[in-house]
Amino acid sequence: MQYVSTRAAASAAASSSQQFSDILLGGLAPDGGLYLPTEYPQVTGAELDKWRQLSYADLAYEILRKFATDIPEADLRALTAKTYTKEVYCNARKGEKASQITPLRVLEEREDGARLVLQALSNGPTLAFKDMAMQLLGNLFEYTLAKHDAQLNIFGATSGDTGSAAEYAMRGKKGIRVFMLSPHKKMSAFQTAQMFSLQDPNIFNIAVEGVFDDCQDMVKAVSNDLPFKAKQKIGTVNSINWARVVAQVVYYFRGYLSATTSNDQKVSFTVPSGNFGNICAGHIARMMGLPIDKLVAATNENDVLDEFFRTGVYRVRKSAETYHTSSPSMDISKASNFERFVYDLVGRDGDRTRALFQKVETHGGFDLSGKPGSDGDEFKLVAKYGFKSGKSTHQDRLNTIRDVSDDYGITIDTHTADGIKVARENMEAGVTMIVLETALAAKFNETILDALGVDAERPAGFENIEALPQKFVVMPADVEKMKAYIAANTGL
Ligand SMILES: *Cc1c(COP(=O)(O)O)cnc(C)c1O
């Protein structure tokens, strides 16, 4: 399996292609594009039938081996078996069902055959779906680095979910250190405790005196110093990482296979979306031949994606137009994985894709509506790819959290609430609608308290997390001091 950049010129595509392990540790392609396989591997009906019985780890192996063809099969099987275990993914919710790793729960069955189903993806160590891919990434990184006797120093900024998922995936891993910046005293007590209570010597929590944007600016400044970056072996684990996307493909297959008994049954997915990483994996599953009917992107007030799927206009937002909402992990100004879908939408034309995303840089977006003066008319093909969308506001979240509690007796988190709100608007007769649960309510307790008047339940093991000893340093937003701190701790 070969990979190309979404911006590769047709003439260069063949010569610049790479293998899975080549792109595993990197981020963007050198031309600024994102990596995709030259073609999507196809899955047959016979394979789907066989896969119905598999454990999550075995299913992950079957799917990954189609993409990571340069990793020996026995090694890949060992990596998936080590990653997708009860011990890692059943911490938050114990029990028979939880051992399925991503169990389904039917919320509603209507007389017309429509069903509303929740797929749990948040039982991992940080109580959010990012653990599904990040834990595999930790093991893949360790494996690949050991093969080349190499080291990697992950440097990033977080306002919550991504940073903690990365730290829990990389803690104790040989050859890897994590330097994670977060805005000092700006995260919730729960999120702070989750990250800062890690005592592993390879995890460095750096609380920056400033806001999240200051943290991100420091990451950019350090990454732009190419000699420093090379010497210190700096890397990232952001949402455009291809291995993260592939790992997420697996739970779409698991969800479909668990919700159906034969391959002619229809299933749609609603996905709480921000950077388009999660739903991009659904798109890839569908392109591989998984019988997904609709892929519904649910956004919050930051509705960049909903606007595109309604109108064909992609318009990124400025910082001042990006709202801080009660589903904060979806507060984005542009959707960093969206380019992967646009590449498919414009017929896998790298030259077109490059021109469109250069226009994002120069003009803040592009228009594929087909109207006079637009950049193309491919919006008319969006339905062919199954995409739909919807939007949810703070008031919708409160109402949905209350409804779901009243109707089904469970407490959902704010991001999942955006999903359920939009899913309900897109239910169809005879079709199962699976909503992906992206976090547990305990992580966003303030809003739960507003909606229900009671605290969200804390999963076992998290009761006193704020009282645990914390390990972190406080630093000013000073790039030179940051570089000195990194160098002192890597010894490179
Ligand atoms: C990251 C995240 C999302 C958004 O996922 P994308 O892949 O960025 O679209 C939604 N909900 C939660 C809880 C998240 O952490």
Side-chain angles (χ1 to χ4, degrees):
M1 172 67 56
Q2 300 285 315
Y3 292 86
V4 284
S5 165
T6 51
R7 299 190 191 181
S11 54
S15 57
S16 62
S17 66
Q18 308 229 49
Q19 302 252 69
F20 183 86
S21 302
D22 301 327
I23 62 170
L24 175 66
L25 301 173
L28 291 175
D31 60 13
L34 280 65
Y35 287 109
L36 272 179
T38 49
E39 56 195 21
Y40 294 116
Q42 295 300 300
V43 171
T44 64
E47 269 178 307
L48 284 179
D49 287 336
K50 246 182 17 210
W51 290 358
R52 279 181 194 283
Q53 309 308 324
L54 296 184
S55 69
Y56 194 94
D58 287 342
L59 180 65
Y61 164 71
E62 293 293 341
I63 291 167
L64 271 143
R65 65 193 283 251
K66 292 178 181 282
F67 291 98
T69 46
D70 58 335
I71 298 183
E73 295 193 341
D75 293 356
L76 194 59
R77 197 183 269 289
L79 286 165
T80 53
K82 177 177 169 187
T83 303
Y84 295 107
T85 65
K86 266 201 302 210
E87 288 65 35
V88 175
Y89 288 100
C90 300
N91 268 328
R93 288 178 210 155
K94 300 220 188 305
E96 187 56 35
K97 265 204 105 198
S99 69
Q100 295 167 18
I101 310 293
T102 65
L104 302 188
R105 177 178 181 134
V106 179
L107 299 181
E108 197 175 317
E109 301 206 60
R110 298 188 181 169
E111 282 182 1
D112 64 4
R115 290 195 303 168
L116 183 64
V117 174
L118 194 60
Q119 184 172 5
L121 302 179
S122 311
N123 296 330
T126 73
L127 313 183
F129 88 99
K130 291 193 172 68
D131 292 328
M132 294 303 305
M134 204 72 93
Q135 288 286 322
L136 180 70
L137 206 65
N139 288 326
L140 277 170
F141 276 15
E142 185 177 52
Y143 166 81
T144 306
L145 290 166
K147 257 189 155 175
H148 300 101
D149 196 20
Q151 301 184 36
L152 178 69
N153 293 306
I154 294 168
F155 184 49
T158 189
S159 54
D161 283 350
T162 309
S164 60
E167 290 190 354
Y168 279 79
M170 306 298 165
R171 63 187 295 200
K173 293 277 186 286
K174 285 193 236 27
I176 305 177
R177 296 183 193 85
V178 179
F179 295 89
M180 191 58 67
L181 311 187
S182 57
H184 188 37
K185 295 188 173 162
K186 302 278 190 318
M187 290 191 297
S188 74
F190 185 89
Q191 282 179 318
T192 308
Q194 256 191 323
M195 288 178 51
F196 292 8
S197 63
L198 289 179
Q199 302 294 330
D200 306 72
N202 71 327
I203 303 294
F204 299 87
N205 285 303
I206 305 167
V208 174
E209 291 168 322
V211 294
F212 176 62
D213 285 338
D214 297 316
C215 299
Q216 241 180 350
D217 288 346
M218 295 238 282
V219 172
K220 273 189 207 143
V222 171
S223 303
N224 287 339
D225 181 346
L226 298 182
F228 180 84
K229 197 180 165 197
K231 178 153 190 264
Q232 295 297 328
K233 307 192 185 313
I234 302 273
T236 55
V237 286
N238 49 24
S239 82
I240 58 156
N241 180 285
W242 169 249
R244 278 182 67 183
V245 176
V246 178
Q248 292 170 176
V249 170
V250 178
Y251 52 71
Y252 285 87
F253 277 85
R254 177 80 285 158
Y256 178 86
L257 295 171
S258 301
T260 58
T261 49
S262 91
N263 304 336
D264 50 20
Q265 291 164 3
K266 280 195 190 168
V267 172
S268 295
F269 286 87
T270 299
V271 187
S273 293
N275 275 319
F276 204 77
N278 195 350
I279 200 165
C280 185
H283 164 67
I284 291 163
R286 195 173 183 275
M287 297 296 280
M288 292 171 72
L290 186 67
I292 295 176
D293 190 29
K294 303 278 170 10
L295 284 166
V296 187
T299 74
N300 63 19
E301 290 87 339
N302 297 292
D303 58 353
V304 186
L305 291 169
D306 182 41
E307 181 176 8
F308 177 80
F309 287 113
R310 274 185 301 101
T311 66
V313 175
Y314 181 61
R315 182 174 62 86
V316 304
R317 311 295 199 250
K318 301 197 174 66
S319 311
E321 290 175 293
T322 308
Y323 307 108
H324 291 284
T325 75
S326 49
S327 45
S329 300
M330 291 154 58
D331 293 349
I332 49 105
S333 54
K334 61 178 177 198
S336 51
N337 274 289
F338 188 52
E339 184 167 335
R340 289 193 159 109
F341 171 65
V342 171
Y343 179 68
D344 285 340
L345 185 67
V346 300
R348 307 206 112 211
D349 179 338
D351 295 311
R352 276 291 306 290
T353 309
R354 183 173 355 100
L356 290 172
F357 282 88
Q358 274 166 1
K359 198 161 176 201
V360 172
E361 298 302 317
T362 54
H363 292 77
F366 54 77
D367 179 351
L368 296 179
S369 69
K371 293 197 181 121
S374 65
D375 304 293
D377 64 353
E378 284 87 351
F379 178 58
K380 64 172 193 261
L381 302 175
V382 158
K384 190 185 102 183
Y385 289 92
F387 273 97
K388 298 190 79 177
S389 71
K391 169 179 172 175
S392 162
T393 64
H394 179 69
Q395 192 57 51
D396 292 325
R397 283 189 277 286
L398 295 178
N399 295 345
T400 306
I401 290 166
R402 262 182 230 127
D403 285 354
V404 168
S405 170
D406 290 347
D407 296 349
Y408 319 121
I410 55 171
T411 307
I412 52 167
D413 100 287
T414 51
H415 307 75
T416 309
D418 290 328
I420 297 228
K421 188 264 181 183
V422 172
R424 281 176 158 167
E425 296 165 351
N426 284 280
M427 303 273 291
E428 288 178 88
V431 182
T432 294
M433 173 64 84
I434 298 181
V435 178
L436 298 185
E437 170 212 75
T438 56
L440 290 195
K443 290 194 93 167
F444 303 96
N445 189 48
E446 264 174 34
T447 310
I448 303 302
L449 201 53
D450 275 354
L452 302 177
V454 290
D455 287 321
E457 198 190 324
R458 282 268 175 113
F462 291 85
E463 297 88 349
N464 292 314
I465 186 167
E466 290 94 337
L468 296 175
Q470 300 192 348
K471 184 178 91 135
F472 65 101
V473 294
V474 181
M475 287 184 64
D478 178 326
V479 176
E480 291 313 314
K481 288 206 169 108
M482 186 63 60
K483 286 184 188 166
Y485 179 79
I486 293 173
N489 283 291
T490 62
L492 292 171

